[in-house]
Amino acid sequence: MLDSAGRFAPSPSGDLHIGNVRTGILAYLWARGTGRGFRWRIEDLDRVSPGAAERQLEEFRALGLEIDGPIVRQTQRIEHYAAACARLDEQGLVYECYCSRKDIQSAPSAPHAPPGAYPGTCRDLAEDERIAARARLERAGRAPALRLRTTTAQRPVVDEVLGTLTAHIDDVVLRRGDGVWAYNLAVVVDDAAMGIDQVVRGDDLASSAPRQALLCDLLGLPVPAYAHVPLVLNPAGARLAKRDGAVTLEQLRAQRFDVWAWMGESLGFGRWMDLDDALASFDPAGIRREATVFDPPPLTPAETEPPANRR
């Protein structure tokens, strides 16, 4: 499988917490255990915290993870997303959407669609209606989004952890009204270009897999194998966040927290000593299937300062 790979693709919105790190390590172990390369993508189309991307990369390399191929930044690939959107447009599958988030939330849901799904408000507008809506947005200093005219409401995907995934597929956004290319399109285009045929990520993204598989089909791109792994939660059962306490690698190391030992135990393999130990004992079939609860140590005053202010 020399031409196939797994990947980790963090958003550089800040330092990674222990749950993010665990998912990235799982992606690495899964890739190496199946003879794949391991690649890294910086998903910097949206929120970016200065220096975060570099710190994230340094932390993983400090753990011993070896990254194959060049580091990919999404902000350097804008023309590829535009080209993919143009291919969809040639098939008659792209239309302008003039709705605000409030418009969508207040609109009646389409039949058989979950609450909050886009009901297709702008899908079949007449040209004069589009002209009027476009002018209304322009007066408000806004621009229309671009949406996919979906051809099916279902596209089942087989997941190595969760089994068969089905989720309602609405007319997903391809480009936002602020001109930023949307996650679902960008990730599909990037994975194909990077030779990614295995995607290991948190199970909060499981509902995205059918949408992305459909986009792969429409663009003539291969659909990767998916494995959505359980999240790390705080003691209240909510998604782990930095406000919960010492959760970043830097904070935990300052408290002499044994990251590798916790990783192995949280996944059901017992205490790991290091990366080599993890590679030797990792087996996807043995992963604990339920979410892990992490009770972070309290932050010290020094750890509450931004990384740029620490010496």
Side-chain angles (χ1 to χ4, degrees):
M1 294 187 179
L2 294 178
D3 295 326
S4 60
R7 49 80 162 170
F8 188 47
S11 170
S13 57
D15 292 337
L16 298 174
H17 61 60
I18 190 70
N20 305 137
V21 174
R22 191 179 82 149
T23 299
I25 287 174
L26 270 173
Y28 185 86
L29 297 176
W30 218 305
R32 294 303 191 210
T34 52
R36 288 174 165 87
F38 181 74
R39 294 173 184 150
W40 190 281
R41 182 168 68 240
I42 300 170
E43 298 200 337
D44 57 350
L45 290 177
D46 207 343
R47 293 179 301 152
V48 175
S49 176
E54 292 73 21
R55 290 195 301 274
Q56 291 171 356
L57 196 51
E58 288 171 5
E59 286 177 341
F60 271 79
R61 284 176 166 154
L63 288 168
L65 278 66
E66 297 179 356
I67 296 162
D68 303 308
I71 307 301
V72 173
R73 284 184 176 270
Q74 288 189 324
T75 49
Q76 297 174 353
R77 294 183 45 77
I78 302 299
E79 68 275 14
H80 298 284
Y81 312 140
C85 188
R87 292 203 299 275
L88 294 170
D89 194 24
E90 289 168 2
Q91 301 174 54
L93 298 177
V94 178
Y95 66 91
E96 290 184 348
C97 175
Y98 315 98
C99 298
S100 66
R101 188 170 299 176
K102 183 178 179 181
D103 294 334
I104 297 169
Q105 290 173 343
S106 61
S109 297
H112 313 298
Y118 182 68
T121 307
C122 300
R123 182 181 176 110
D124 297 312
L125 294 178
E127 185 57 29
D128 59 336
E129 293 175 302
R130 294 193 180 280
I131 291 172
R134 202 176 294 127
R136 172 174 53 82
L137 286 188
E138 187 174 353
R139 288 193 298 272
R142 295 169 50 205
L146 297 180
R147 285 188 181 271
L148 175 72
R149 187 183 299 273
T150 51
T151 55
T152 177
Q154 296 285 337
R155 202 303 189 178
V157 170
V158 176
D159 184 271
E160 293 188 47
V161 176
L162 302 177
T164 300
L165 298 175
T166 56
H168 176 82
I169 303 175
D170 58 6
D171 287 1
V172 297
V173 172
L174 302 172
R175 192 187 69 196
R176 299 182 339 201
D178 60 4
V180 175
W181 291 100
Y183 166 76
N184 283 303
L185 178 67
V187 72
V188 160
V189 172
D190 290 340
D191 282 346
M194 295 171 67
I196 305 301
D197 65 350
Q198 180 188 81
V199 172
V200 178
R201 59 190 180 188
D203 60 14
D204 57 326
L205 292 172
S207 63
S208 295
R211 299 185 186 101
Q212 292 168 11
L214 175 62
L215 279 167
C216 286
D217 295 341
L218 296 173
L219 290 167
L221 303 176
V223 179
Y226 290 102
H228 290 88
V229 297
L231 297 179
V232 178
L233 306 179
N234 66 18
R239 291 179 57 175
L240 190 67
K242 293 166 191 173
R243 62 179 174 273
D244 292 319
V247 295
T248 69
L249 287 185
E250 182 181 4
Q251 292 166 343
L252 291 170
R253 286 195 188 102
Q255 307 232 9
R256 300 183 182 276
F257 183 82
D258 192 331
V259 173
W260 281 113
W262 178 84
M263 288 281 173
E265 288 185 332
S266 74
L267 292 166
F269 297 104
R271 295 171 67 87
W272 285 335
M273 295 181 62
D274 51 26
L275 178 59
D276 289 339
D277 194 16
L279 286 166
S281 64
F282 178 72
D283 178 2
I287 292 176
R288 184 173 290 153
R289 294 305 200 254
E290 62 272 11
T292 293
V293 174
F294 181 69
D295 192 0
L299 288 169
T300 65
E303 289 169 333
T304 62
E305 296 180 12
N309 294 341
R310 298 178 202 152
R311 295 290 185 269

